[in-house]
Amino acid sequence: MSTGQEPSPTASVTVSIPSQDPRGAAEDAALDAYRGMWAAYAKAGLTANPDEPDLSRFASDGALKTLRNGLATYRSKKQVLKGEYVLNPQAAEVALTSSPVTVTVTDCIDDSNFLVYNLSGEPINDVPGGRQSARATVTNFAAGSWKVTSFGVQEVGSC
């Protein structure tokens, strides 16, 4: 039996999400690259592999050279790195008008649980690190490829 009423059409709602402001997008991308660099370094440290592909995915220039040289030194001493970094990075400066765009990241890295071991799994020393002030420059290369290009880490207790 028909009531003579057609079923009402399904309503369609389109929600427009505003695009993020350029500064916020740059900050987010730079912080992702910075976190990615430290994660890649921790992964590479497990075997002291200076050729870990993720290193060049997140770092270039002086930063990449520093990471690879450090890993090569550990490898030559038959040492590996194990553990985790605790990061709390903040975008300190954003240079949207520079070419390429750069973001300065500041952090207080806690490497208390990131230690050096020999290949048999024994710690080289049992003195944990601690909280260290860090500063990095993250650069936006072509096609939104953000990479850490330089960084410096101060002594334990600097933050």
Side-chain angles (χ1 to χ4, degrees):
M1 176 169 157
S2 172
T3 62
Q5 294 179 339
E6 295 293 317
S8 59
T10 305
S12 175
V13 177
T14 303
V15 177
S16 175
I17 299 172
S19 62
Q20 189 175 24
D21 68 287
R23 181 184 178 92
E27 289 175 353
D28 289 348
L31 292 171
D32 287 347
Y34 177 82
R35 287 184 192 101
M37 177 190 78
W38 287 114
Y41 184 69
K43 178 181 175 184
L46 293 172
T47 57
N49 179 9
D51 298 318
E52 165 59 46
D54 281 346
L55 290 173
S56 61
R57 185 172 153 214
F58 296 106
S60 69
D61 301 343
L64 182 59
K65 183 177 180 180
T66 298
L67 296 171
R68 285 184 169 161
N69 287 346
L71 290 163
T73 299
Y74 286 119
R75 180 170 271 186
S76 72
K77 294 178 182 179
K78 299 189 181 336
Q79 297 172 341
V80 295
L81 305 164
K82 296 179 185 179
E84 291 183 13
Y85 286 106
V86 177
L87 305 173
N88 186 29
Q90 306 292 318
E93 299 169 25
V94 179
L96 290 175
T97 58
S98 67
S99 183
V101 174
T102 61
V103 175
T104 301
V105 173
T106 58
D107 198 357
C108 182
I109 299 172
D110 185 347
D111 69 351
S112 300
N113 295 314
F114 194 77
L115 301 172
V116 181
Y117 294 82
N118 63 28
L119 293 179
S120 65
E122 299 295 318
I124 298 300
N125 67 45
D126 57 0
V127 179
R131 294 169 53 87
Q132 302 167 274
S133 179
R135 186 174 182 92
T137 300
V138 187
T139 303
N140 183 10
F141 291 98
S145 175
W146 288 85
K147 295 184 182 193
V148 178
T149 51
S150 67
F151 71 93
V153 179
Q154 303 302 312
E155 68 278 353
V156 171
S158 56
C159 61

